[in-house]
Amino acid sequence: MIRLEQVTKQFGGNRVLDKVDLEVRDGETLVIVGPSGVGKSVTLKLMVRLLTPDQGRVTVNGEIISALDGRSLEIAREKFGMLFQGGALLQWLTVGENVALPLREKTNLSEAEIVARVREKLELVGLQDDYEKWPADLSGGMRKRAGLARAVVENPRIILYDEPTSGLDPVSSRLIDDLINSLRRQMNVTSVVVTHDLHSALAIGDRITMINDGAIVETASPARFIESKNPAVKQFLAAQYITRRGVWEEGSS
Amino acid sequence: MIIRDPEFYPPPENPVTWLGRATVNPCRGAGRAVLLFLAALKAMPHVFGKRARKETVYQMFTMGIKSLTVLSVVAAFTGMILALQTGIELRRFGQEENIGTAVMMSMVREMGPFMTGLILAASVGSAIAAQMGTMMVQEEIAALEVMSINPARFLVMPRLVAMALMTPLLSFYSCILGVVGGGVVGYTQLGVPWGVYFDNAMLYVVNRDLFVGMLKALIFGVMIVVIACHQGFSARNGAVGVGNATRRTVIISFLSILLVGYFVTRLFYY
Ligand SMILES: Nc1ncnc2c1ncn2[C@@H]1O[C@H](COP(=O)(O)OP(=O)(O)OP(=O)(O)O)[C@@H](O)[C@H]1O
Ligand SMILES: [Mg+2]
């Protein structure tokens, strides 16, 4: 369970989050939506303490991660896998080496085991033929999928996805959605997904939460979310041509 | 150690706040650089791991071999200029065969480590800062941290070890080239025979001079890597930030090399 308690984060005069309370339950997929620049990535980074809240605190399974440091922080981060918005692959390693990196650096697995595991994860994201390629030679969407393979290679308990499907074609997007769903079903992974893609939000989310103007304006199950009376949510839905009863339900979108 | 939460200060209101900030911020930066150095030192035992060993050797190769050409030219010409200038003066007293001593002493004690330091700061230091800065702004460092791979161990330590091993060697090499360069000028321009030149060169120089020179080079190398990594890790705001980190690495390295070089000399020779 991840909890943000009264978290405030500001950059200079720019107050991004203002006394935000947010809870991610064990084993659920929480989807965070909101306009660009509203603090979704910041929220994810607060959860792994890549950023520190100015006020309030962040806890993971009861442990106050926003106050940890050094070795204890490293141990707390072992639970996490994270997909960054740009993929964040190391440019001087091939795709396969990137995915293998956490295994090589931190485990005593044999080379054969590592390669097998890496191939398995690359297959999950549809990159089985790109083991030897350099990150610079991949498209943005492929980089993101490679980043995803690296995020899940250690079988983490909690996975944070920063826009896993943006820049991907619809088919790959659904592949990623299926992956997020199957990780959750098979391994009871807790996921937090930041996305602009409402179709994927509705398909994978147990709950959807919307951030706007530094505050959480709505948290609800997908069915409730599209019924929301909140003007910001309505505008967000309308912008993606989802008006009240879901077009997505008939599958005609 | 790597400060990701950016710091913001309101614009200075009066000269006193301005002065205060201009004093405090560099000190804070220096303190953080020292912490980064200590973190990398603590990770030093990992250098014998298979991957770190490979990475260190690779870094030694890129640092050493790739800066060899420019270092050779600079070292040779430094020796040649030294020989020419001192030779012209000494000739007035008919003492031009003593240029060997002058060239050897200046190269081994000062110019060798100094030139090595400056060239590595400009080439290797700026390259490290650019690489670390790019990794920082593309969130690759953040990704490493989430994977619990300590950047001080994974990135800084191999470069630090590589540089600490390479700079004394490169400094030694530049001394040899400088002395040879001086000999060439002595022979062709001043009419000092080879044998006289080299006998004279070896006359006063002692092992201690060589040792202090190489120690100086080692200190310069360590400083360059720490400054470059610290600046890279402090890069913000995309490409502009990387550019700034690179520029500041070169400037700060140059200044520290001059400053520290002076004090090491003072410590050992005064
Ligand atoms: N390291 C930082 N330094 C300064 N400001 C920052 C930093 N990180 C984020 N911000 C600011 O915080 C705000 C929220 O950024 P964030 O990246 O969380 O947006 P986002 O909701 O993820 O947007 P997008 O959907 O475009 O990715 C932005 O105004 C941004 O300028
Ligand atoms: Mg974002």
Side-chain angles (χ1 to χ4, degrees), chain A residues 56-111:
Chain A
R57 58 182 202 173
V58 182
T59 64
V60 178
N61 297 341
E63 194 176 25
I64 306 170
I65 196 167
S66 53
L68 294 182
D69 235 327
R71 186 73 196 125
S72 47
L73 181 59
E74 283 187 2
I75 292 168
R77 279 175 176 159
E78 293 285 341
K79 291 192 273 294
F80 285 93
M82 183 162 183
L83 168 65
F84 285 83
Q85 201 162 349
L89 300 175
L90 303 187
Q91 300 294 318
W92 75 90
L93 298 177
T94 63
V95 170
E97 286 168 340
N98 259 291
V99 178
L101 185 68
L103 301 178
R104 293 223 168 100
E105 285 296 310
K106 296 188 301 182
T107 66
N108 293 321
L109 294 178
S110 73
E111 196 51 35

Side-chain angles (χ1 to χ4, degrees), chain B residues 123-139:
Chain B
S123 58
V124 178
S126 61
I128 292 179
Q131 194 193 357
M132 298 299 130
T134 310
M135 290 184 70
M136 191 71 199
V137 300
Q138 293 185 352
E139 302 190 312

Side-chain angles (χ1 to χ4, degrees), chain A residues 37 40-42 85 162-163 194 196:
Chain A
K40 304 184 296 296
S41 300
V42 167
Q85 201 162 349
D162 200 341
E163 306 199 359
V194 166
H196 287 297

Side-chain angles (χ1 to χ4, degrees), chain A residues 11 14 16 34-43 45 51 85 162-163 194 196, chain B residues 4 6 8 236:
Chain A
F11 298 101
N14 173 14
V16 178
S36 191
V38 84
K40 304 184 296 296
S41 300
V42 167
T43 308
K45 286 177 188 165
L51 290 172
Q85 201 162 349
D162 200 341
E163 306 199 359
V194 166
H196 287 297
Chain B
R4 189 158 290 92
F8 290 94
R236 300 285 179 281

Side-chain angles (χ1 to χ4, degrees), chain A residues 37-250:
Chain A
V38 84
K40 304 184 296 296
S41 300
V42 167
T43 308
L44 282 193
K45 286 177 188 165
L46 284 165
M47 291 177 182
V48 272
R49 198 160 183 271
L50 284 173
L51 290 172
T52 315
D54 295 326
Q55 285 157 38
R57 58 182 202 173
V58 182
T59 64
V60 178
N61 297 341
E63 194 176 25
I64 306 170
I65 196 167
S66 53
L68 294 182
D69 235 327
R71 186 73 196 125
S72 47
L73 181 59
E74 283 187 2
I75 292 168
R77 279 175 176 159
E78 293 285 341
K79 291 192 273 294
F80 285 93
M82 183 162 183
L83 168 65
F84 285 83
Q85 201 162 349
L89 300 175
L90 303 187
Q91 300 294 318
W92 75 90
L93 298 177
T94 63
V95 170
E97 286 168 340
N98 259 291
V99 178
L101 185 68
L103 301 178
R104 293 223 168 100
E105 285 296 310
K106 296 188 301 182
T107 66
N108 293 321
L109 294 178
S110 73
E111 196 51 35
E113 282 172 299
I114 290 177
V115 172
R117 182 106 148 246
V118 170
R119 290 207 181 277
E120 172 206 338
K121 300 298 180 193
L122 282 176
E123 199 152 336
L124 275 183
V125 297
L127 288 179
Q128 56 278 12
D129 301 326
D130 302 293
Y131 191 96
E132 301 290 345
K133 289 214 179 109
W134 297 98
D137 300 335
L138 299 184
S139 71
M142 289 161 87
R143 256 177 244 166
K144 195 160 266 181
R145 284 187 280 157
L148 181 53
R150 187 179 63 184
V152 300
V153 76
E154 290 179 285
N155 300 327
R157 304 302 310 147
I158 307 170
I159 308 179
L160 310 177
Y161 304 86
D162 200 341
E163 306 199 359
T165 57
S166 73
L168 262 62
D169 63 284
V171 178
S172 309
S173 296
R174 297 297 86 84
L175 180 79
I176 300 297
D177 288 348
D178 291 344
L179 174 65
I180 295 173
N181 270 335
S182 72
L183 282 172
R184 174 178 167 228
R185 243 181 293 114
Q186 290 163 11
M187 303 201 288
N188 199 29
V189 167
T190 308
S191 311
V192 184
V193 185
V194 166
T195 186
H196 287 297
D197 178 353
L198 250 165
H199 294 282
S200 105
L202 296 169
I204 60 178
D206 292 310
R207 292 188 301 150
I208 303 179
T209 196
M210 175 147 178
I211 305 182
N212 198 18
D213 274 341
I216 289 181
V217 295
E218 181 73 274
T219 303
S221 65
R224 287 262 174 75
F225 188 80
I226 56 163
E227 302 278 357
S228 171
K229 297 278 182 296
N230 187 294
V233 178
K234 274 182 164 169
Q235 191 189 8
F236 190 74
L237 293 173
Q240 305 207 16
Y241 306 111
I242 297 179
T243 41
R244 284 180 51 78
R245 284 248 58 95
V247 198
W248 104 101
E249 278 187 342
E250 282 92 58

Side-chain angles (χ1 to χ4, degrees), chain B residues 25-238:
Chain B
N25 283 349
C27 293
R28 183 180 290 162
R32 283 186 186 147
V34 170
L35 288 182
L36 184 63
F37 172 59
L38 293 180
L41 266 191
K42 211 172 115 194
M44 207 71 100
H46 292 281
V47 77
F48 299 108
K50 183 162 159 281
R51 196 208 60 82
R53 212 166 50 207
K54 227 172 81 184
E55 173 78 6
T56 307
V57 171
Y58 172 76
Q59 290 296 339
M60 282 173 73
F61 173 78
T62 44
M63 286 169 182
I65 309 303
K66 290 196 177 158
S67 50
L68 212 55
T69 327
V70 56
L71 185 66
S72 308
V73 175
V74 170
F77 272 91
T78 308
M80 285 159 68
I81 290 166
L82 281 172
L84 203 56
Q85 283 290 6
T86 46
I88 291 168
E89 285 305 306
L90 288 176
R91 180 184 270 169
R92 300 213 316 230
F93 313 101
Q95 296 274 326
E96 59 263 40
E97 65 267 22
N98 284 333
I99 56 168
T101 307
V103 172
M104 181 62 117
M105 281 305 193
S106 346
M107 281 312 290
V108 169
R109 284 185 175 185
E110 297 295 340
M111 294 316 270
F114 190 64
M115 288 297 163
T116 311
L118 292 191
I119 285 168
L120 289 186
S123 58
V124 178
S126 61
I128 292 179
Q131 194 193 357
M132 298 299 130
T134 310
M135 290 184 70
M136 191 71 199
V137 300
Q138 293 185 352
E139 302 190 312
E140 293 168 35
I141 308 269
L144 286 175
E145 286 189 277
V146 174
M147 292 188 277
S148 296
I149 298 174
N150 184 353
R153 171 174 64 77
F154 185 73
L155 298 169
V156 183
M157 187 270 292
R159 286 169 176 76
L160 197 66
V161 174
M163 197 76 151
L165 294 175
M166 276 324 271
T167 37
L169 292 181
L170 287 174
S171 163
F172 184 64
Y173 168 80
S174 66
C175 292
I176 295 176
L177 269 192
V179 171
V180 170
V184 170
V185 167
Y187 183 69
T188 57
Q189 311 288 308
L190 302 161
V192 182
W194 286 106
V196 175
Y197 176 83
F198 282 106
D199 283 345
N200 190 276
M202 299 308 290
L203 203 53
Y204 295 107
V205 74
V206 290
N207 282 340
R208 184 163 175 277
D209 293 326
L210 187 64
F211 163 75
V212 174
M214 283 167 79
L215 175 74
K216 217 186 251 179
L218 186 148
I219 295 173
F220 293 163
V222 167
M223 283 190 329
I224 291 167
V225 172
V226 172
I227 291 167
C229 288
H230 173 251
Q231 287 298 329
F233 290 159
S234 313
R236 300 285 179 281
N237 307 330

